[in-house]
């Protein structure tokens, strides 16, 4: 079973930057969307950013130009560059992928989550 392996979370001061990476544990036949969601305690999980295999991207309204998502299709990897971080960005960040394989069809999978904490 394929897994999404995340890295790059941590503690940073307000105004700082972090880079989150997510890679599939093995080669996948096709991945359409790859992206990041986040969830803070007491809140629902929300979209941060996502990108298709041809480079079309979408962002949560709160991003406001601070984050950039990019993808390496050959490595089944997605990266989220986060700049100008704010304390309200503190949350667990989850990688997500919509993938397709001939034997199992379409599936949506999640990473285990990585914590981002922004201090004021």
């Amino acid at each position: 079973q394929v897994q999404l392996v995340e890295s790059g979370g941590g503690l940073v001061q307000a105004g700082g930057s972090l880079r989150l990476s997510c890679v599939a544990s093995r080669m996948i036949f096709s991945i359409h969307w790859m992206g990041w969601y986040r969830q803070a305690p007491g809140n629902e999980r929300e979209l941060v950013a996502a990108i298709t295999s041809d480079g079309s991207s979408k962002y949560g309204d709160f991003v406001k130009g601070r984050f950039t998502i990019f993808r390496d299709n050959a490595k089944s990897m997605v990266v989220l560059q986060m700049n100008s971080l704010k304390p309200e960005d503190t949350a667990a960040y989850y990688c997500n992928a919509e993938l397709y394989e001939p034997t199992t069809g379409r599936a949506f999978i999640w990473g285990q989550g990585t914590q981002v904490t922004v201090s004021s």
Side-chain angles (χ1 to χ4, degrees):
Q1 177 135 359
V2 64
Q3 295 179 330
L4 298 176
V5 181
E6 301 148 335
S7 61
L11 173 65
V12 66
Q13 289 187 331
S17 298
L18 282 175
R19 175 173 288 201
L20 305 183
S21 297
C22 170
V23 62
S25 58
R26 60 170 174 79
M27 291 300 296
I28 297 173
F29 182 83
S30 174
I31 304 176
H32 183 43
W33 285 99
M34 287 191 83
W36 292 90
Y37 287 72
R38 71 183 188 183
Q39 187 168 20
N43 291 352
E44 294 186 352
R45 192 169 294 191
E46 61 181 350
L47 172 71
V48 178
I51 185 168
T52 63
S53 56
D54 63 1
S56 298
S57 60
K58 56 183 178 181
Y59 294 88
D61 291 341
F62 58 86
V63 170
K64 297 187 188 302
R66 299 181 297 130
F67 301 171
T68 303
I69 189 167
F70 51 96
R71 178 169 165 172
D72 185 332
N73 291 324
K75 297 180 179 178
S76 296
M77 172 184 285
V78 65
V79 175
L80 182 68
Q81 177 66 42
M82 302 188 293
N83 300 326
S84 302
L85 283 162
K86 306 174 182 180
E88 51 264 44
D89 293 317
T90 295
Y93 283 67
Y94 297 89
C95 183
N96 171 264
E98 177 190 357
L99 54 90
Y100 174 81
E101 295 199 288
T103 54
T104 56
R106 192 173 72 158
F108 296 86
I109 60 173
W110 293 91
Q112 78 283 1
T114 184
Q115 180 66 34
V116 171
T117 302
V118 184
S119 63
S120 58

